[in-house]
Amino acid sequence: MCALAKAGAWSLNAAARAVIPCLWRGKYFSSGKEPVENNPVTPMLRHLMYKIKSTGPITVAEYMKEVLTNPAKGYYVYRDMLGEKGDFITSPEISQIFGELLGIWFVSEWMANGKSAAFQLVELGPGRGTLAEDILRVFSQLGSVLKNCEISIHLVEVSQKLSEIQALTLTEEKVPLERSAGSPVYMKGVTKSGIPISWYRDLQDVPKGYSFYLAHEFFDVLPIHKFQKTPQGWREVLIDIDPQGSDKLRFVLAPCATPAQAFIQHDETRDHVEVCPDAGVIIQELCQRIELTGGAALIADYGHDGTKTDTFRGFCGHKLHDVLIAPGTADLTADVDFSYLRRMVQGRVASLGPVTQQMFLKNMGIDVRLKVLLDKSAEPSLRQQLLQGYDMLMNPKKMGERFNFFALLPHQRLCGRSQQINAQQSKPSPSPVAGFSELAWQ
Ligand code: SAH
């Protein structure tokens, strides 16, 4: 039976979603953009100024890493920045349909890969756990399909605050911190539907079993290096103390070549580039794992294919925010360079995309799913929320074209060797990969 026909049985879960409009991070300029006049001296600014005074200007990557994930003062570590009351909104927080379609994608890939007896769902940067919750609801609803499969959930999260929220969302309990020294798992529990769930700070710590990986709006927060082409060649953009203003930071150019310059392509034609070596390390780790054990990775983010230049920006309270002002109080982000991710794959696995969110969700059957939910909801405010959510996700002027989907799959998946060979055929034909072409579900 078609999964989307079955989807009629799924519950409507729209009540908790955000009331639109809120600002999504893929956007460059919010209509309510206001200049930030004051520059409060935050604990993070004091820490950075001390650091710069001691050892000199820092790279943008070092700045981003400190500001976002410093264990004592980092922006991500102790707050919930998502949703209406936070700084930005993401697709899973807008509509339940987003996570449901991603859930179908994983089940579809699990089937196409030969229905393994067990798999791990590994999510990088799970935010509030909303996306995982929507995916798990699909897994429960498709229980008859997945009934003999042993599933476990593995969340990679650096934020103490968000991991607490994820635990409440997914297990409905406060999960205590693990005490056992030496274990990379810092929290462990069981989801509402009885699936074991574990938390890690680093992908490297997740067991290397057969896995499906998910990263939604994760790569854009990884630290980037920025470079400017000058008559003397490429120079890295650094952050220094501004001699003009007390307690102010400014961008400067490195006086000579810096080590990160090795990441710039020798035939680069842009005059400003951003490179994210941490993204390369994570892609290589994913490729190594998929090459070794199979599975797949689905990466969704806003980004470009090696064409954009200066995309580094900040968000605070649903407004664009100067990245150097009041560090630690605002989100910092940069567009994901999918051409760089593809290069980092180095042919070890197959990559698909990037395709636009609009195309991916359309191929996954978003229109059918919307209709099912609309038919089930009599309440006008819920119907309006569903329609507004659909528009936000799909409209090319909103998230539809700015956000992209990119997948990593074992080479065998695309040449059909993992399929059961049909006795009539000498060569099996692989089923198309859903989202990147229309969902075809048996
Ligand atoms: N995927 C979620 C949240 C996106 S926000 C959604 O779409 O709603 C980015 C997420 O990545 C947050 O959960 C943040 O705490 C986490 N994060 C940021 N840097 C990280 C890092 N270096 N390692 C692991 N998680 C990180």
Side-chain angles (χ1 to χ4, degrees), residues 112-134:
N113 277 294
K115 300 187 184 176
S116 60
F119 72 79
Q120 310 187 137
L121 178 69
V122 183
E123 186 178 358
L124 309 178
R128 281 179 172 169
T130 311
L131 182 51
E133 187 187 27
D134 290 336

Side-chain angles (χ1 to χ4, degrees), residues 25 69 76 90 92 125-127 156-159 162 216-218 221:
R25 290 189 299 176
T69 57
Y76 274 109
T90 59
V156 179
E157 177 58 83
V158 285
S159 166
L162 289 177
H216 179 255
E217 292 216 33
F218 168 75
V221 297

Side-chain angles (χ1 to χ4, degrees), residues 6 36 95 144 227 242 275 338 428:
K6 273 197 157 192
V36 183
S95 173
S144 57
F227 301 93
D242 187 344
V275 199
F338 287 99

Side-chain angles (χ1 to χ4, degrees), residues 70 117 129 136 187 230 234 240 258 321 345 396 407:
N70 176 296
L136 287 179
M187 275 169 29
T230 74
W234 287 104
D240 196 2
T258 50
H321 179 94
V345 171

Side-chain angles (χ1 to χ4, degrees), residues 40 131 241 319 381:
L131 182 51
I241 295 168
K319 288 181 182 148
S381 66

